[in-house]
């Protein structure tokens, strides 16, 4: 559930980055101050997206590790059950 929420936030952030890129392109003909501000905002958004992507990758890695641990525990449980039945 948390991974889904992060993925939604990541998607929104990516859409924001694309929107800011478009605004930046349009603002180049405008004032240099406005263009600089938009550039700074786009850079901040890009950094935010990178952080979210990194966080998503870490979450996926942790989830996979957790699934492997669950599998190991399940195998251990089956092994113990077999030892009790067939000593």
């Amino acid at each position: 559930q948390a991974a889904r929420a992060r993925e939604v936030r990541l998607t929104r952030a990516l859409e924001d980055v694309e929107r800011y890129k478009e605004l930046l392109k349009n603002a180049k003909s405008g004032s240099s101050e406005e263009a600089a501000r938009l550039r700074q905002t786009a850079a901040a958004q890009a950094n935010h997206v990178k952080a979210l992507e990194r966080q998503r990758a870490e979450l996926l890695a942790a989830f996979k590790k957790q699934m492997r641990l669950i599998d190991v525990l399940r195998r251990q449980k089956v092994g113990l059950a077999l030892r009790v039945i067939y000593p």
Side-chain angles (χ1 to χ4, degrees), residues 7-85:
E7 192 166 334
V8 168
R9 285 184 12 210
L10 176 62
T11 304
R12 288 180 186 157
L14 288 170
E15 290 170 356
D16 286 344
V17 167
E18 290 302 317
R19 190 176 71 233
Y20 285 124
K21 282 181 182 178
E22 191 63 34
L23 287 172
L24 180 60
K25 192 187 308 181
N26 294 336
K28 282 189 177 183
S29 61
S31 71
S32 62
E33 289 178 14
E34 182 69 18
R37 186 183 63 77
L38 287 172
R39 216 175 296 117
Q40 190 177 27
T41 305
Q45 286 290 326
N47 288 338
H48 185 64
V49 167
K50 284 181 184 178
L52 287 173
E53 287 173 344
R54 202 174 316 116
Q55 193 174 34
R56 180 177 180 261
E58 290 172 2
L59 278 171
L60 287 174
F63 179 73
K64 288 177 183 177
K65 187 174 184 179
Q66 205 172 35
M67 293 307 293
R68 284 194 303 265
L69 289 172
I70 288 169
D71 189 46
V72 167
L73 289 173
R74 191 175 295 134
R75 289 180 190 187
Q76 287 177 354
K77 181 180 172 185
V78 168
L80 287 174
L82 288 175
R83 286 187 209 144
V84 169
I85 294 172

